[in-house]
Amino acid sequence: MVATEYYVALSAILFAIGAVGVLTRRSAILVFLSIELMLNAANLALVAYARQWSSSGQAVAMSGQSAVFIILALAAAEVAVGLGILVAIFRQRTSTDIDALSEVRY
């Protein structure tokens, strides 16, 4: 059995990689993927803590896993809407550079 600390450390590493991707990338698609990586890192931490609490016999574990399923459903909806918006922008501008997308407001 792998200790919870390893899962949390992996989650922190994945979250840091996603944060660096959001801060350094200029392509909207790569920023979008980095945000998804950060969201899944949070899910990994939730599942790790839920497993730890279930091994100690607490009923809170099931609510942690339920929260992860809800977050996954929200992430799937976010991907569908986000990619739809990005495809629409790409058809109009033929670029997904986020510096150029700052002019899309109006």
Side-chain angles (χ1 to χ4, degrees):
M1 185 166 145
V2 179
T4 304
E5 292 84 14
Y6 293 123
Y7 289 115
V8 174
L10 177 64
S11 172
I13 291 169
L14 290 174
F15 191 87
I17 291 171
V20 168
V22 167
L23 295 175
T24 60
R25 297 296 178 171
R26 298 290 80 177
S27 172
I29 293 175
L30 292 177
V31 170
F32 193 66
L33 289 175
S34 298
I35 290 171
E36 290 296 319
L37 186 63
M38 294 168 59
L39 186 63
N40 285 323
N43 281 339
L44 179 63
L46 275 174
V47 169
Y49 283 122
R51 195 187 97 191
Q52 180 181 3
W53 288 327
S54 70
S55 66
S56 65
Q58 303 218 0
V60 178
M62 202 58 194
S63 65
Q65 292 172 356
S66 300
V68 168
F69 284 123
I70 292 169
I71 291 171
L72 285 175
L74 289 175
E78 174 201 349
V79 166
V81 172
L83 285 179
I85 291 171
L86 285 177
V87 167
I89 290 172
F90 185 76
R91 285 184 181 169
Q92 293 291 323
R93 299 189 173 247
T94 65
S95 173
T96 59
D97 185 19
I98 56 173
D99 291 332
L101 294 180
S102 64
E103 302 167 358
V104 177
R105 292 185 206 163
Y106 305 108

